[in-house]
Amino acid sequence: MYYLKNTLFLDLTKNQKSALFGFIKSFVKKHEQKTTEEILALFIEDEQYYYEQKNPHFEWIIPEFEKDSFLKELTVLINENKKQLALKEAQKPFIERQKALAKEQRKKAAEFKLSKQPPTKKQLYYYDMLCKKYKINQEPVENLSRLDLKNMIGKIIDEHDTGIKKI
């Protein structure tokens, strides 16, 4: 995509080119199921409509539609955007798998960190209050880590779930 910015629409200013590239990208994404020719025709039709309504996206583009070279470059840009969308869609399962693995790694790292730290006063107090509330014998909490206490609290809550719907 980056090489296209250096080869297409050389007669446009930097701002015009940037605006056109961004708009075409979103336009192609919106009309992804259509063919390149249909997208090009829709784009031209939309721009002419907005020009007639005196609210164009690009004031300079209407005379450009008369040039064959401009239309060819626009077709190349639309095709490239369609390829980029197809590539992104093909990579989606891999990216989702990567995200799941990264989430799992963060969870393991957090648990490892918790396993090396002593429990907090809040955890100890909460565990004490849960044991009193559910009339459970407290286990000794000396030499336990934050992770151990977190798991114990979670176990108590799971066993004595009051039927409140979890969000």
Side-chain angles (χ1 to χ4, degrees):
M1 190 71 164
Y2 291 107
Y3 71 91
L4 288 179
K5 289 184 180 180
N6 297 331
T7 58
L8 296 179
F9 308 113
L10 298 176
D11 54 335
L12 299 180
T13 67
K14 186 173 128 179
N15 291 340
Q16 288 174 334
K17 194 185 298 190
S18 177
L20 182 63
F21 271 69
F23 187 80
I24 291 292
K25 184 175 182 178
S26 65
F27 195 81
V28 169
K29 191 173 185 179
K30 186 169 33 170
H31 301 287
E32 188 176 355
Q33 303 305 321
K34 298 186 184 332
T35 65
T36 304
E37 292 77 26
E38 290 173 331
I39 293 172
L40 181 62
L42 264 174
F43 176 69
I44 293 171
E45 182 182 315
D46 278 0
E47 289 306 311
Q48 287 175 341
Y49 170 78
Y50 285 116
Y51 184 77
E52 290 167 4
Q53 297 299 319
K54 308 252 187 279
N55 189 16
H57 294 112
F58 311 104
E59 298 85 17
W60 49 267
I61 204 164
I62 298 299
E64 297 290 328
F65 288 145
E66 303 301 320
K67 300 177 185 174
D68 285 337
S69 62
F70 183 81
L71 295 176
K72 285 179 185 176
E73 290 175 345
L74 207 51
T75 304
V76 169
L77 181 60
I78 291 170
N79 280 332
E80 187 63 30
N81 276 300
K82 286 182 69 115
K83 287 178 191 174
Q84 292 291 329
L85 287 172
L87 182 64
K88 199 172 195 178
E89 191 64 35
Q91 290 175 342
K92 204 173 212 175
F94 299 111
I95 293 171
E96 293 299 321
R97 211 172 309 137
Q98 260 184 331
K99 285 181 183 178
L101 286 173
K103 185 178 181 180
E104 190 177 309
Q105 289 296 325
R106 286 192 304 272
K107 184 178 178 182
K108 283 182 182 179
E111 285 182 352
F112 179 76
K113 184 178 176 184
L114 288 177
S115 70
K116 300 296 181 192
Q117 297 174 338
T120 64
K121 289 180 183 180
K122 286 183 180 181
Q123 274 184 315
L124 294 170
Y125 177 75
Y126 189 61
Y127 176 69
D128 184 46
M129 296 312 287
L130 280 177
C131 289
K132 286 179 184 176
K133 179 179 178 182
Y134 296 119
K135 298 178 177 81
I136 301 171
N137 292 334
Q138 286 188 358
E139 295 180 23
V141 290
E142 306 87 34
N143 301 328
L144 291 181
S145 68
R146 279 190 190 179
L147 180 63
D148 297 330
L149 211 55
K150 175 185 165 192
N151 291 337
M152 289 169 63
I153 291 170
K155 185 178 174 185
I156 293 171
I157 291 173
D158 287 343
E159 287 175 357
H160 298 90
D161 194 7
T162 58
I164 297 174
K165 186 176 179 180
K166 293 183 179 179
I167 296 175

